Amino acid sequence: MGTIKKDILIGVLISLFATFGGVFLYLEYFSRYEFYETIDLIKEGRLYGKVLSLAAIPNLFVFFIFIKKKQDYKAKGVLLATILIAFTTLVLKFF
């Protein structure tokens, strides 16, 4: 695997990790309810897209860190994963 593809893959994986970290932070610290109770409320209200879009905010910080360090291909991977998350949010919102 070439270094360009490897850097893009690393960027995608770090972006997905940051998104899952954002979901955890939202569920654990910003919700007024317990962890599993919040998950049940999200399922009942079909709020998957809204929670996912809030959880993608850490990708912004990761993207700018990679840009600042001049790691453009990793930043492209973060951008690719963020576009994928945005498309998933779109699908969850309308279907």
Side-chain angles (χ1 to χ4, degrees), residues 62-79:
V62 173
F63 177 77
F64 282 120
I65 288 170
F66 284 142
I67 292 294
K68 180 86 172 166
K69 290 184 172 184
K70 299 187 188 295
Q71 296 176 349
D72 294 335
Y73 291 111
K74 289 180 183 178
K76 285 181 184 181
V78 171
L79 186 61

PDB file of all heavy atoms in Angstrom, residues 62-79:
ATOM      1  N   VAL A  62      -9.660  17.907  14.374  1.00  0.00           N
ATOM      2  CA  VAL A  62      -8.685  16.968  13.820  1.00  0.00           C
ATOM      3  C   VAL A  62      -8.223  17.444  12.442  1.00  0.00           C
ATOM      4  O   VAL A  62      -7.029  17.413  12.124  1.00  0.00           O
ATOM      5  CB  VAL A  62      -9.295  15.550  13.740  1.00  0.00           C
ATOM      6  CG1 VAL A  62      -8.363  14.599  13.021  1.00  0.00           C
ATOM      7  CG2 VAL A  62      -9.625  15.017  15.120  1.00  0.00           C
ATOM      8  N   PHE A  63      -9.163  17.914  11.629  1.00  0.00           N
ATOM      9  CA  PHE A  63      -8.831  18.405  10.294  1.00  0.00           C
ATOM     10  C   PHE A  63      -7.839  19.560  10.372  1.00  0.00           C
ATOM     11  O   PHE A  63      -6.822  19.574   9.670  1.00  0.00           O
ATOM     12  CB  PHE A  63     -10.118  18.844   9.584  1.00  0.00           C
ATOM     13  CG  PHE A  63      -9.892  19.424   8.224  1.00  0.00           C
ATOM     14  CD1 PHE A  63      -9.616  18.608   7.143  1.00  0.00           C
ATOM     15  CD2 PHE A  63      -9.963  20.789   8.018  1.00  0.00           C
ATOM     16  CE1 PHE A  63      -9.409  19.137   5.881  1.00  0.00           C
ATOM     17  CE2 PHE A  63      -9.758  21.337   6.767  1.00  0.00           C
ATOM     18  CZ  PHE A  63      -9.476  20.507   5.697  1.00  0.00           C
ATOM     19  N   PHE A  64      -8.103  20.532  11.239  1.00  0.00           N
ATOM     20  CA  PHE A  64      -7.212  21.681  11.334  1.00  0.00           C
ATOM     21  C   PHE A  64      -5.856  21.325  11.940  1.00  0.00           C
ATOM     22  O   PHE A  64      -4.848  21.944  11.602  1.00  0.00           O
ATOM     23  CB  PHE A  64      -7.875  22.823  12.106  1.00  0.00           C
ATOM     24  CG  PHE A  64      -8.867  23.569  11.266  1.00  0.00           C
ATOM     25  CD1 PHE A  64     -10.194  23.626  11.642  1.00  0.00           C
ATOM     26  CD2 PHE A  64      -8.484  24.196  10.098  1.00  0.00           C
ATOM     27  CE1 PHE A  64     -11.116  24.309  10.869  1.00  0.00           C
ATOM     28  CE2 PHE A  64      -9.397  24.883   9.313  1.00  0.00           C
ATOM     29  CZ  PHE A  64     -10.710  24.940   9.697  1.00  0.00           C
ATOM     30  N   ILE A  65      -5.808  20.334  12.796  1.00  0.00           N
ATOM     31  CA  ILE A  65      -4.516  19.874  13.320  1.00  0.00           C
ATOM     32  C   ILE A  65      -3.671  19.291  12.195  1.00  0.00           C
ATOM     33  O   ILE A  65      -2.475  19.581  12.076  1.00  0.00           O
ATOM     34  CB  ILE A  65      -4.715  18.854  14.460  1.00  0.00           C
ATOM     35  CG1 ILE A  65      -5.223  19.561  15.709  1.00  0.00           C
ATOM     36  CG2 ILE A  65      -3.420  18.106  14.758  1.00  0.00           C
ATOM     37  CD1 ILE A  65      -5.668  18.628  16.807  1.00  0.00           C
ATOM     38  N   PHE A  66      -4.291  18.476  11.343  1.00  0.00           N
ATOM     39  CA  PHE A  66      -3.552  17.902  10.219  1.00  0.00           C
ATOM     40  C   PHE A  66      -3.117  18.973   9.223  1.00  0.00           C
ATOM     41  O   PHE A  66      -2.022  18.903   8.668  1.00  0.00           O
ATOM     42  CB  PHE A  66      -4.374  16.827   9.513  1.00  0.00           C
ATOM     43  CG  PHE A  66      -4.434  15.523  10.254  1.00  0.00           C
ATOM     44  CD1 PHE A  66      -5.599  14.780  10.265  1.00  0.00           C
ATOM     45  CD2 PHE A  66      -3.338  15.033  10.932  1.00  0.00           C
ATOM     46  CE1 PHE A  66      -5.665  13.576  10.940  1.00  0.00           C
ATOM     47  CE2 PHE A  66      -3.389  13.828  11.617  1.00  0.00           C
ATOM     48  CZ  PHE A  66      -4.558  13.103  11.612  1.00  0.00           C
ATOM     49  N   ILE A  67      -3.965  19.963   8.988  1.00  0.00           N
ATOM     50  CA  ILE A  67      -3.582  21.056   8.094  1.00  0.00           C
ATOM     51  C   ILE A  67      -2.420  21.848   8.683  1.00  0.00           C
ATOM     52  O   ILE A  67      -1.469  22.206   7.984  1.00  0.00           O
ATOM     53  CB  ILE A  67      -4.791  21.979   7.827  1.00  0.00           C
ATOM     54  CG1 ILE A  67      -5.850  21.264   6.993  1.00  0.00           C
ATOM     55  CG2 ILE A  67      -4.379  23.279   7.149  1.00  0.00           C
ATOM     56  CD1 ILE A  67      -5.426  20.921   5.582  1.00  0.00           C
ATOM     57  N   LYS A  68      -2.479  22.115   9.977  1.00  0.00           N
ATOM     58  CA  LYS A  68      -1.425  22.875  10.652  1.00  0.00           C
ATOM     59  C   LYS A  68      -0.085  22.140  10.584  1.00  0.00           C
ATOM     60  O   LYS A  68       0.965  22.746  10.424  1.00  0.00           O
ATOM     61  CB  LYS A  68      -1.833  23.124  12.104  1.00  0.00           C
ATOM     62  CG  LYS A  68      -0.866  23.892  12.919  1.00  0.00           C
ATOM     63  CD  LYS A  68      -1.089  25.353  12.763  1.00  0.00           C
ATOM     64  CE  LYS A  68      -0.218  26.077  13.765  1.00  0.00           C
ATOM     65  NZ  LYS A  68      -0.115  27.456  13.484  1.00  0.00           N
ATOM     66  N   LYS A  69      -0.132  20.811  10.699  1.00  0.00           N
ATOM     67  CA  LYS A  69       1.084  20.000  10.651  1.00  0.00           C
ATOM     68  C   LYS A  69       1.525  19.678   9.222  1.00  0.00           C
ATOM     69  O   LYS A  69       2.485  18.933   9.032  1.00  0.00           O
ATOM     70  CB  LYS A  69       0.877  18.687  11.404  1.00  0.00           C
ATOM     71  CG  LYS A  69       0.780  18.843  12.890  1.00  0.00           C
ATOM     72  CD  LYS A  69       0.666  17.485  13.533  1.00  0.00           C
ATOM     73  CE  LYS A  69       0.770  17.576  15.026  1.00  0.00           C
ATOM     74  NZ  LYS A  69       0.764  16.242  15.641  1.00  0.00           N
ATOM     75  N   LYS A  70       0.780  20.210   8.241  1.00  0.00           N
ATOM     76  CA  LYS A  70       1.075  19.989   6.813  1.00  0.00           C
ATOM     77  C   LYS A  70       0.988  18.506   6.435  1.00  0.00           C
ATOM     78  O   LYS A  70       1.796  17.999   5.651  1.00  0.00           O
ATOM     79  CB  LYS A  70       2.411  20.584   6.431  1.00  0.00           C
ATOM     80  CG  LYS A  70       2.483  22.080   6.639  1.00  0.00           C
ATOM     81  CD  LYS A  70       3.759  22.646   6.091  1.00  0.00           C
ATOM     82  CE  LYS A  70       3.946  24.085   6.460  1.00  0.00           C
ATOM     83  NZ  LYS A  70       3.033  25.032   5.947  1.00  0.00           N
ATOM     84  N   GLN A  71       0.030  17.812   7.004  1.00  0.00           N
ATOM     85  CA  GLN A  71      -0.243  16.422   6.650  1.00  0.00           C
ATOM     86  C   GLN A  71      -1.532  16.405   5.830  1.00  0.00           C
ATOM     87  O   GLN A  71      -2.595  16.011   6.290  1.00  0.00           O
ATOM     88  CB  GLN A  71      -0.366  15.579   7.909  1.00  0.00           C
ATOM     89  CG  GLN A  71       0.912  15.519   8.701  1.00  0.00           C
ATOM     90  CD  GLN A  71       0.768  14.758   9.998  1.00  0.00           C
ATOM     91  OE1 GLN A  71      -0.333  14.430  10.427  1.00  0.00           O
ATOM     92  NE2 GLN A  71       1.889  14.467  10.635  1.00  0.00           N
ATOM     93  N   ASP A  72      -1.387  16.832   4.580  1.00  0.00           N
ATOM     94  CA  ASP A  72      -2.547  17.072   3.729  1.00  0.00           C
ATOM     95  C   ASP A  72      -3.339  15.803   3.412  1.00  0.00           C
ATOM     96  O   ASP A  72      -4.562  15.844   3.329  1.00  0.00           O
ATOM     97  CB  ASP A  72      -2.118  17.752   2.436  1.00  0.00           C
ATOM     98  CG  ASP A  72      -1.586  19.147   2.675  1.00  0.00           C
ATOM     99  OD1 ASP A  72      -1.977  19.761   3.691  1.00  0.00           O
ATOM    100  OD2 ASP A  72      -0.780  19.623   1.847  1.00  0.00           O
ATOM    101  N   TYR A  73      -2.661  14.685   3.223  1.00  0.00           N
ATOM    102  CA  TYR A  73      -3.382  13.469   2.871  1.00  0.00           C
ATOM    103  C   TYR A  73      -4.199  12.926   4.043  1.00  0.00           C
ATOM    104  O   TYR A  73      -5.277  12.380   3.847  1.00  0.00           O
ATOM    105  CB  TYR A  73      -2.426  12.408   2.327  1.00  0.00           C
ATOM    106  CG  TYR A  73      -1.876  12.802   0.971  1.00  0.00           C
ATOM    107  CD1 TYR A  73      -0.544  13.133   0.821  1.00  0.00           C
ATOM    108  CD2 TYR A  73      -2.708  12.879  -0.136  1.00  0.00           C
ATOM    109  CE1 TYR A  73      -0.042  13.517  -0.412  1.00  0.00           C
ATOM    110  CE2 TYR A  73      -2.225  13.258  -1.368  1.00  0.00           C
ATOM    111  CZ  TYR A  73      -0.897  13.576  -1.496  1.00  0.00           C
ATOM    112  OH  TYR A  73      -0.421  13.964  -2.715  1.00  0.00           O
ATOM    113  N   LYS A  74      -3.695  13.079   5.239  1.00  0.00           N
ATOM    114  CA  LYS A  74      -4.486  12.693   6.412  1.00  0.00           C
ATOM    115  C   LYS A  74      -5.685  13.624   6.556  1.00  0.00           C
ATOM    116  O   LYS A  74      -6.780  13.189   6.917  1.00  0.00           O
ATOM    117  CB  LYS A  74      -3.626  12.717   7.673  1.00  0.00           C
ATOM    118  CG  LYS A  74      -2.612  11.601   7.711  1.00  0.00           C
ATOM    119  CD  LYS A  74      -1.778  11.640   8.969  1.00  0.00           C
ATOM    120  CE  LYS A  74      -0.719  10.554   8.941  1.00  0.00           C
ATOM    121  NZ  LYS A  74       0.143  10.586  10.112  1.00  0.00           N
ATOM    122  N   ALA A  75      -5.495  14.915   6.252  1.00  0.00           N
ATOM    123  CA  ALA A  75      -6.609  15.864   6.285  1.00  0.00           C
ATOM    124  C   ALA A  75      -7.644  15.504   5.220  1.00  0.00           C
ATOM    125  O   ALA A  75      -8.852  15.639   5.451  1.00  0.00           O
ATOM    126  CB  ALA A  75      -6.101  17.281   6.069  1.00  0.00           C
ATOM    127  N   LYS A  76      -7.196  15.019   4.066  1.00  0.00           N
ATOM    128  CA  LYS A  76      -8.134  14.567   3.032  1.00  0.00           C
ATOM    129  C   LYS A  76      -8.934  13.369   3.519  1.00  0.00           C
ATOM    130  O   LYS A  76     -10.119  13.229   3.217  1.00  0.00           O
ATOM    131  CB  LYS A  76      -7.389  14.203   1.748  1.00  0.00           C
ATOM    132  CG  LYS A  76      -6.914  15.398   0.977  1.00  0.00           C
ATOM    133  CD  LYS A  76      -6.205  14.972  -0.298  1.00  0.00           C
ATOM    134  CE  LYS A  76      -5.650  16.168  -1.022  1.00  0.00           C
ATOM    135  NZ  LYS A  76      -4.978  15.806  -2.269  1.00  0.00           N
ATOM    136  N   GLY A  77      -8.293  12.481   4.266  1.00  0.00           N
ATOM    137  CA  GLY A  77      -9.004  11.337   4.831  1.00  0.00           C
ATOM    138  C   GLY A  77     -10.059  11.777   5.829  1.00  0.00           C
ATOM    139  O   GLY A  77     -11.170  11.236   5.849  1.00  0.00           O
ATOM    140  N   VAL A  78      -9.743  12.775   6.650  1.00  0.00           N
ATOM    141  CA  VAL A  78     -10.721  13.313   7.601  1.00  0.00           C
ATOM    142  C   VAL A  78     -11.885  13.935   6.838  1.00  0.00           C
ATOM    143  O   VAL A  78     -13.053  13.743   7.187  1.00  0.00           O
ATOM    144  CB  VAL A  78     -10.064  14.342   8.547  1.00  0.00           C
ATOM    145  CG1 VAL A  78     -11.106  15.057   9.386  1.00  0.00           C
ATOM    146  CG2 VAL A  78      -9.050  13.661   9.441  1.00  0.00           C
ATOM    147  N   LEU A  79     -11.577  14.675   5.782  1.00  0.00           N
ATOM    148  CA  LEU A  79     -12.625  15.294   4.973  1.00  0.00           C
ATOM    149  C   LEU A  79     -13.502  14.236   4.311  1.00  0.00           C
ATOM    150  O   LEU A  79     -14.732  14.371   4.278  1.00  0.00           O
ATOM    151  CB  LEU A  79     -11.990  16.202   3.922  1.00  0.00           C
ATOM    152  CG  LEU A  79     -12.936  17.028   3.080  1.00  0.00           C
ATOM    153  CD1 LEU A  79     -13.737  17.976   3.954  1.00  0.00           C
ATOM    154  CD2 LEU A  79     -12.168  17.789   2.028  1.00  0.00           C
TER     155      LEU A  79
END
